[in-house]
Amino acid sequence: MIPKSHPRYKSLMMREKLVEALDKGILAKAGLIAHGRGETFDYLIGEKTTDIALESIKAAAAMLVLAKNPIISVNGNTIALAIDEVVQLAKELNGKIEVNLFYRTKEREEAIKREFYKKFGEDIKFKKIEIHGIDDANYQIPNLDSLRGRISKEFFNADVVLVPLEDGDRTEALVKMGKKVIAIDLNPLSRTAQKATITIVDELTRTLPLLIKYVKEFKKTDKERLIKIIKEYDNKKNLKKMLLYINERLKKLGDDENFAI
Ligand code: PTJ
C-alpha cells in the first residue's frame, strides 16, 4: 500500500496501475520501459502541463472537433493508465476507438477486449462506443510490416487519428496514408513527436482531461475560429519551444544556489 502522504503518490500509483495491467496481460513488458522513459522527460518538464503543451492541446481539440471521422488509437499503456478518459473522449466525438498494438498477441487482444467489455459493456452494446482493431484487424498499414501494422477497415476511413504513446515508424506511415496524426508523447525528441501533425508534449493522464474539456468547449465554438487555431499552430515551432523551455528550466535550476541535490 502506498500512503497518500507519500510525496510521489501520484507517480507511484501510476506505476501500480501499469503493474496491475501487466499482470492482467494488457500491458506489454516493454510498456514498463516506455513508461520509465516518459517519467524521465516528465521530470525535465517539471511534471506539469506547460503553456506550450496547452497550445498543442487546443489545436488538437480543434482538429478533433472539425474532423469528419476521428479515431482514438490505443495501446497497452494507454488502456492501463487512462481507459476511462479515452472512452469519455470518444463519447464526445464519434465513439470510435481502435486498439493498435506494437506487441500484438492473441492473449493481449483477449485481455484488452475483456477490459473494455467489463468496464464499458453497456456502452459497446448500445453503440455509444465502437472498439475496432481486435476482431476486425484484418488489414495492414501500407509499407509497415509485422503485426504492429494491423488495422481494421474502419481505420482507413479516419481522417484524424489520436495516438497516445505511438512509435515513430507507425506515425510516419499514418501520415503517408494521408491521416492527420495527433500524438501525446513526453519525449519531444522522439520520431513520433517529430513526425506527427500535432504533438502534445505532456503526460497522458494530465492531457486527456484537458483535451476533453476543450473538445466540449469547441463543439460550441464557431468553425472559423477553430480553423484559425489550427492554421496558427506550428508543430515544429512548438517542439522547439519545448526544448528551449527544458533547457532554460535546467539552467535556472543549475544556477539556483538553494537547489539541493
Ligand atoms: O502496447 P503496445 O504493444 O502497443 O506497446 C507499446 C509500447 C509503449 C511498448 C511501444 O509503443 C513502445 O516501445 O513505445 P516507445 O517507442 O518506447 O515510445 C513510447 C513514448 O511514450 C516514449 O517517447 C515515452 O517518452 C512516452 N511516454 C511514456 N509514458 C508516457 C509517455 N508520454 C505521455 N504520457 C505517458 N504516460
Side-chain angles (χ1 to χ4, degrees):
M1 265 296 278
I2 298 156
K4 274 206 159 137
S5 56
H6 194 289
R8 301 212 46 80
Y9 178 77
K10 239 180 110 187
S11 166
L12 293 177
M13 285 310 288
M14 241 194 273
R15 287 184 175 184
E16 287 289 301
K17 273 191 175 180
L18 289 165
V19 171
E20 203 181 296
L22 186 74
D23 290 342
K24 281 188 191 166
I26 291 169
L27 193 80
K29 283 181 189 157
L32 294 176
I33 301 168
H35 184 76
R37 175 150 59 194
E39 283 183 338
T40 311
F41 281 96
D42 210 12
Y43 259 83
L44 298 182
I45 68 170
E47 295 180 297
K48 66 176 174 57
T49 304
T50 60
D51 287 344
I52 306 160
L54 199 60
E55 223 183 275
S56 307
I57 290 172
K58 286 182 189 168
M63 194 173 268
L64 285 168
V65 168
L66 289 178
K68 285 199 177 67
N69 200 13
I71 202 160
I72 307 174
S73 162
V74 293
N75 67 357
N77 289 57
T78 305
I79 295 163
L81 293 176
I83 191 170
D84 295 348
E85 291 79 5
V86 163
V87 168
Q88 209 184 326
L89 178 61
K91 281 179 170 174
E92 289 297 331
L93 301 167
N94 54 358
K96 288 183 187 162
I97 297 169
E98 169 131 351
V99 178
N100 292 131
L101 300 176
F102 192 92
Y103 300 102
R104 190 182 278 271
T105 63
K106 195 82 209 131
E107 292 73 25
R108 283 191 75 206
E109 285 183 335
E110 287 305 318
I112 288 169
K113 199 168 143 184
R114 250 197 320 276
E115 188 75 355
F116 269 112
Y117 275 85
K118 192 178 93 194
K119 294 197 80 173
F120 301 103
E122 290 284 291
D123 287 332
I124 297 169
K125 190 173 158 196
F126 294 108
K127 299 208 180 308
K128 289 197 176 134
I129 56 167
E130 294 173 22
I131 309 296
H132 295 282
I134 297 181
D135 297 327
D136 59 355
N138 303 320
Y139 297 81
Q140 186 78 15
I141 296 175
N143 307 316
L144 195 71
D145 53 2
S146 82
L147 292 172
R148 75 202 161 113
R150 301 306 288 168
I151 46 172
S152 71
K153 197 172 177 195
E154 191 58 44
F155 199 86
F156 282 95
N157 300 326
D159 51 349
V160 175
V161 190
L162 172 65
V163 285
L165 281 83
E166 187 51 81
D167 82 282
D169 263 16
R170 251 182 57 113
T171 303
E172 202 173 356
L174 294 182
V175 171
K176 276 196 187 137
M177 276 174 93
K179 315 256 177 242
K180 287 179 181 145
V181 178
I182 301 166
I184 304 172
D185 190 339
L186 277 159
N187 178 3
L189 298 168
S190 76
R191 274 168 46 89
T192 302
Q194 305 288 329
K195 298 287 172 191
T197 319
I198 295 176
T199 308
I200 302 167
V201 182
D202 196 19
E203 203 281 316
L204 172 73
T205 64
R206 281 199 305 266
T207 297
L208 287 178
L210 288 167
L211 205 48
I212 293 164
K213 176 185 152 196
Y214 283 105
V215 162
K216 276 186 179 167
E217 188 183 314
F218 287 174
K219 275 160 73 176
K220 294 180 237 147
T221 302
D222 175 48
K223 221 176 151 183
E224 292 307 312
R225 207 191 127 214
L226 301 185
I227 293 171
K228 191 164 174 271
I229 291 174
I230 297 171
K231 261 197 184 147
E232 283 172 359
Y233 179 82
D234 183 326
N235 206 46
K236 287 256 173 310
K237 270 195 194 149
N238 189 279
L239 288 172
K240 274 192 184 159
K241 274 199 266 181
M242 204 59 182
L243 287 176
L244 277 177
Y245 174 84
I246 292 172
N247 199 0
E248 277 162 23
R249 183 169 181 270
L250 293 183
K251 193 170 173 322
K252 233 188 247 167
L253 285 174
D255 289 343
D256 183 354
E257 279 176 21
N258 297 318
F259 182 68
I261 298 176

